[in-house]
Amino acid sequence: MRVCIEGFEKEFIKDKRNMYAIAFTQNVLSGRWKYFIIWYLEESARRFTDIKKFLGDLSQGSLTKQLKELEQDGIIKRKLYPEVPPRVEYSLTEKGIKLLAVLKKMEEFGKEYGEKPESV
């Protein structure tokens, strides 16, 4: 399987449709923080500063990059309010809401097979 800069090669999409579907989803979720951003936006729209605070040590540049990629993939939407200073909120699109089911399956797998945290 080879992914080029523009996306997947047409031959790969045609010949390996099932693998393409998995690779496409993996490509959308690639990025260290995307899972957490999507999960955090599940309940409500959030401002950039709220997302950054939630993620902790993530740099502003890295967060901006992850948000732009999620927006380009149609997973989140960015709403700019014409105020002074401008206010921007991020929320899940319909596509992003559907992707939550994938994250929930990953959570179930992790709970079943992942290392159990020690009781405190």
Side-chain angles (χ1 to χ4, degrees):
M1 169 180 70
R2 190 169 144 245
V3 179
C4 64
I5 293 172
E6 295 83 31
F8 296 92
E9 292 179 335
K10 292 191 186 307
E11 203 61 32
F12 175 74
I13 294 170
K14 186 179 135 209
D15 294 343
K16 297 179 174 62
R17 198 74 185 138
N18 292 341
M19 276 185 65
Y20 162 72
I22 293 168
F24 175 83
T25 305
Q26 179 185 7
N27 212 34
V28 168
L29 289 172
S30 69
R32 184 174 180 185
W33 304 101
K34 289 181 181 179
Y35 301 93
F36 301 112
I37 294 168
I38 294 166
W39 179 85
Y40 190 57
L41 294 176
E42 178 181 12
E43 293 183 11
S44 66
R46 309 282 183 160
R47 296 179 73 172
F48 183 92
T49 53
D50 296 329
I51 298 169
K52 184 160 177 6
K53 192 182 299 182
F54 168 72
L55 294 175
D57 291 337
L58 178 63
S59 73
Q60 183 169 331
S62 292
L63 178 55
T64 299
K65 181 180 184 287
Q66 300 280 288
L67 290 169
K68 281 183 181 178
E69 288 175 4
L70 286 168
E71 187 178 8
Q72 288 170 348
D73 288 331
I75 305 302
I76 64 171
K77 59 186 167 194
R78 179 181 186 269
K79 184 172 182 180
L80 176 63
Y81 292 89
E83 302 171 352
V84 178
R87 177 170 55 112
V88 177
E89 286 185 346
Y90 295 90
S91 60
L92 294 175
T93 62
E94 192 64 37
K95 191 175 178 182
I97 292 168
K98 287 186 176 189
L99 193 55
L100 282 170
V102 173
L103 297 183
K104 294 205 185 288
K105 287 292 184 189
M106 290 171 66
E107 176 188 8
E108 289 172 18
F109 182 86
K111 283 181 177 178
E112 185 170 349
Y113 297 105
E115 220 175 284
K116 307 288 186 244
E118 296 295 322
S119 299
V120 178

